[in-house]
Amino acid sequence: MVWEFEVFAAFASALAVSLVSLVGWVYQWVSREFISRYIPWVLAMTAGILLGNVFFHLIPEAAHESTDSFGVPLGFLAGLGVFGGLDVILHRSQGHPSRERAALGYLTLVGDGFHNFIDGLVIGTSYLVSPELGLTTTLAIVLHELPQEFGESGTMVYSGFSPKRVVRLNFLVSLTALAGVSVAVGIGHWLPLSPSLLLAFTAGGFFYVALGRLAPELLRSSRLMGVRLSYLAVVGLGLGFVLGVNQLQPHVHHHPSKTAHQLQAVPFGFVPRP
């Protein structure tokens, strides 16, 4: 039996995580000249955070969840292929070369939507394990999301979106966290949804955005080796930040070995990592 408090707290926490997307308002308070000058370093930080998510969060979690040896690589390649295909379609739809950067913004939104949905799944499941685990998980996700949302908002501004539109679209996409909670506390018992495939698919998408789109943009922004090395250093900072936050974040994992009775209270069979 799912307690009403846990369900309410899970949705409230997912909404709190969604509100983090409003950090993009900061880009309305700075000049276009400031954005043009410093946005490459924001892109570099975003690339580092995305790669940190891939290597230190999504892939390890997917590997722990997986029950076979092919699910994670297939999910990763599917994400890579889908995001690459979307990139090609979006590039063609823009028509004019001056608008092609908008494709990067749309890809960022798609990746963020998948990631927030997974966050919602984890939040909902954590609260069903215990309110304490749900609260600590939410706090860790907020800490993790703040710099990522700031960087992704900067990426969208760089792609040609107005700051107001960035905030509006980011907030709408972040509401997929509520959808994740709904699945976790509602139909998670019956929905044949594989956590490992979702995680690996999102990892593939993030990997494509970081190396397939952000890295070329950084290389085009400057030909000076010193500047490029500074970008690489900032990418390293992003990687290190995710690694540090991941050490603090409680993990919730799936254990197929649990009995059916034990799994009735927790969708997908998620339980805290010992």
Side-chain angles (χ1 to χ4, degrees):
M1 182 71 180
V2 177
W3 292 90
E4 291 184 3
F5 170 77
E6 280 82 354
V7 174
F8 173 79
F11 278 106
S13 294
L15 181 59
V17 169
S18 298
L19 291 175
V20 173
S21 64
L22 300 181
V23 71
W25 275 110
V26 70
Y27 290 101
Q28 296 195 71
W29 302 332
V30 295
S31 66
R32 280 284 177 182
E33 292 75 16
F34 183 90
I35 292 175
S36 298
R37 183 174 181 180
Y38 292 104
I39 203 67
W41 280 271
V42 175
L43 297 182
M45 177 63 75
T46 304
I49 290 173
L50 291 178
L51 291 174
N53 270 311
V54 170
F55 296 124
F56 305 134
H57 175 51
L58 295 170
I59 291 296
E61 295 284 336
H64 191 94
E65 298 288 342
S66 182
T67 57
D68 63 77
S69 56
F70 297 104
V72 174
L74 287 177
F76 181 86
L77 290 174
L80 203 61
V82 167
F83 274 70
L86 282 174
D87 193 18
V88 171
I89 293 171
L90 290 170
H91 264 82
R92 289 179 178 175
S93 69
Q94 296 306 311
H96 195 277
S98 63
R99 299 180 58 197
E100 285 187 354
R101 283 195 304 192
L104 174 58
Y106 288 117
L107 284 177
T108 300
L109 280 174
V110 173
D112 199 32
F114 276 104
H115 196 204
N116 281 313
F117 179 77
I118 292 172
D119 285 343
L121 284 177
V122 173
I123 288 171
T125 301
S126 298
Y127 271 105
L128 297 184
V129 173
S130 75
E132 294 79 14
L133 180 63
L135 180 59
T136 54
T137 298
T138 301
L139 291 174
I141 288 175
V142 167
L143 180 62
H144 183 275
E145 285 291 313
L146 271 170
Q148 180 165 325
E149 289 291 348
F150 178 79
E152 290 177 345
S153 296
T155 301
M156 292 180 66
V157 171
Y158 172 80
S159 300
F161 294 82
S162 69
K164 286 185 178 180
R165 191 182 181 202
V166 166
V167 172
R168 185 169 63 252
L169 291 176
N170 262 349
F171 179 69
L172 289 175
V173 168
S174 71
L175 293 178
T176 55
L178 296 175
V181 171
S182 299
V183 170
V185 303
I187 60 176
H189 298 293
W190 304 281
L191 191 66
L193 195 62
S194 169
S196 64
L197 286 178
L198 275 175
L199 291 162
F201 181 88
T202 305
F206 277 8
F207 188 83
Y208 180 84
V209 172
L211 294 186
R213 291 308 311 271
L214 290 177
E217 294 291 342
L218 289 172
L219 292 175
R220 279 194 291 266
S221 69
S222 177
R223 296 179 179 273
L224 298 176
M225 183 58 65
V227 175
R228 289 183 173 183
L229 288 176
S230 71
Y231 292 159
L232 186 60
V234 174
V235 170
L237 286 176
L239 284 162
F241 178 83
V242 175
L243 179 61
V245 170
N246 213 46
Q247 301 304 309
L248 302 175
Q249 183 172 345
H251 298 270
V252 180
H253 291 289
H254 178 266
H255 287 265
S257 60
K258 296 289 180 182
T259 66
H261 175 73
Q262 288 173 303
L263 296 181
Q264 282 181 347
V266 185
F268 311 116
F270 282 101
V271 295
R273 177 193 285 178

